[in-house]
Amino acid sequence: MAINFNNSNIATRENRIGSITGYVGTLKDLANQSQCGTLKGCSRCFSQSSTCLSSCGLSQLAAIRDVAVIHHGPAGCSVAGSSAYYMSKVMAKKRGVTSDTIYVGTDMNENDTIFGSTESLRKIILEVNRRYAPKAIFVSSSCATGIIGEDIDSTVEEVREEVDTPIVAVHCEGFKSRIWATGFDIADHAVLQEIVQPPREGVKTNKINFKNFFESARPEIIDIFSKLDLEPVFLYCNSTVEELSHLSESIATTCICGTLGNYLGNALEEKYGVPYVRSINQCGIRGFEAWLREIGRVTGRSDKVEQYIEEQRVIYLPQIEEVKKELKGLTAVIGMGPGYTFEVSRVLDELGIKVVWALAWHYDKKYENGDVPPSMKYLLDNDIDFEASVADQQNYEVMNILNQYRPDMYLSRHPGSTVWAIKNGTPAIYVADEYMIFGYQHTLEFAKTILDAIRNRSFEKNLAKRSKLPYTDWWYSQRVDKFLEEAK
Ligand code: SF4
């Protein structure tokens, strides 16, 4: 991948790495088509829902402490500000720090969309800088500014000297990608372009960049890493601009999910030689051990890692084996982002649960370095196959699949999706927290959570009896694959 820090705009995931949002078939077929270059992806004649990439991108940036996000667009676009408020205030409070991050919408109106409003934008930037003295300013575009060709780059350059704080244009036009995860890359690009500095002469630390969402397992990970003589730097929730400026001096970069972290990891490696830990993620025992071993290899700490693994195995493996006896033979449907869909599929296989269908909200056929995502490669190398589809949270397709397969459980990382499954009578497990299956202890807890969900099914049965769903028998009798083929 050639990263160009001189340009504030980056190509979408569709154009950069060939990601898709429509496919129905099997995991192996999906991989084969990816490898031989024939994977094109389907389109839909009906789309129930999607998300704007600016929500992903700007909420990441707004999670950084004491910065300003200026969202140049109509008021409706600034709805992302609600999650930004959550990130900057609630998550900071939870960690015991303060954040004075602010999120400002420029409230473009009809006149602005006809005559342009870069002058208003300039004034707003200067006023935000005067009033709040942020540690960095991110100036974002929107669909409206993209359509009229508002030149936010030039505005940023014009005020650069006056604001005397890092300032960068962030290209978040929602229409440019169907894949909301493109927003993660856009946020990374902005941070890399303006905040991260080249390493100071001779400085190399024992810090390891750890890209995650909400750092809920922070104390636990600090403790694990201290045993390896490593110090995690969690990104971006509650990060400071000062911390981010030194990411190039770290010993390595890792992440909780390849979809979230692969742009930053690869870019830091390419630009500053900071190794990116390429491994299946930390979910389940196989994932956790593979991840730790790769960290050990990359940082020269393999002996310490093996010692830690040995100690933990003695404590947890017998307990996990005990729970597995009750899970063997159960069936599951999964609907998540692609990072987690294929990681959680592996964990379910590890626990003896058969995945009958996996939906990924999009699919990256390769990562920035050209490799197949490790989670996918693991499944293929271990001859694990199942029916799979790519659907950007099209819940009507989830309902069709659940109705057809009647699995023992449905797992999703998106709450709206699990609610519908429950109304359909399917026990659902909301894998909300990114660390819910992290390492030995949380894999054991996850296995027990599944047991809880399937042992007593009266809630789902009763709710299903009393819920009238909008889906007709006609829809339930359709095969999702036929529907998509026709819609190609
Ligand atoms: S940027 Fe576009 S897609 Fe995103 S919220 Fe605004 S109008 Fe909607």
Side-chain angles (χ1 to χ4, degrees), residues 8-113:
S8 62
N9 219 331
I10 62 166
T12 62
R13 283 202 178 205
E14 290 96 322
N15 292 333
R16 245 176 38 243
I17 52 178
S19 306
I20 59 163
T21 51
Y23 168 83
V24 178
T26 64
L27 189 74
K28 282 191 176 166
D29 175 63
L30 182 61
N32 287 338
Q33 285 196 39
S34 303
Q35 276 163 355
C36 68
T38 56
L39 185 66
K40 285 204 300 222
C42 304
S43 58
R44 291 178 171 75
C45 58
F46 169 72
S47 180
Q48 181 177 2
S49 62
S50 195
T51 301
C52 174
L53 56 80
S54 69
S55 295
C56 276
L58 300 183
S59 64
Q60 289 277 305
L61 295 174
I64 302 167
R65 280 152 71 184
D66 306 330
V67 300
V69 174
I70 299 177
H71 198 162
H72 189 34
C77 297
S78 303
V79 70
S82 59
S83 59
Y85 181 84
Y86 177 78
M87 294 290 264
S88 69
K89 297 293 182 290
V90 180
M91 299 311 290
K93 183 97 178 163
K94 210 171 155 194
R95 162 111 170 258
V97 295
T98 53
S99 173
D100 289 326
T101 287
I102 56 149
Y103 193 106
V104 176
T106 59
D107 194 18
M108 282 179 82
N109 60 22
E110 286 87 346
N111 271 350
D112 296 333
T113 58

Side-chain angles (χ1 to χ4, degrees), residues 209-255:
N209 307 322
F210 197 134
K211 186 143 190 242
N212 72 163
F213 290 97
F214 304 117
E215 61 174 6
S216 60
R218 182 185 177 89
E220 194 178 326
I221 293 169
I222 290 174
D223 183 54
I224 295 170
F225 279 15
S226 71
K227 293 179 172 53
L228 309 177
D229 184 29
L230 290 170
E231 190 186 332
V233 180
F234 294 91
L235 317 171
Y236 293 116
C237 189
N238 292 324
S239 294
T240 63
V241 170
E242 169 68 14
E243 278 171 345
L244 296 179
S245 70
H246 298 305
L247 294 185
S248 61
E249 294 165 5
S250 294
I251 193 167
T253 303
T254 188
C255 61

Side-chain angles (χ1 to χ4, degrees), residues 364-392:
D364 301 317
K365 64 181 177 188
K366 58 181 183 177
Y367 278 165
E368 303 296 333
N369 66 338
D371 286 355
V372 173
S375 57
M376 185 70 161
K377 187 170 183 317
Y378 177 93
L379 294 170
L380 297 168
D381 289 350
N382 288 275
D383 203 24
I384 299 168
D385 196 13
F386 39 76
E387 290 189 271
S389 57
V390 180
D392 46 353

Side-chain angles (χ1 to χ4, degrees), residues 52 54 71 76-77 142-143 172-175:
C52 174
S54 69
H71 198 162
C77 297
S142 62
C143 284
C172 272
E173 300 86 6
F175 60 72

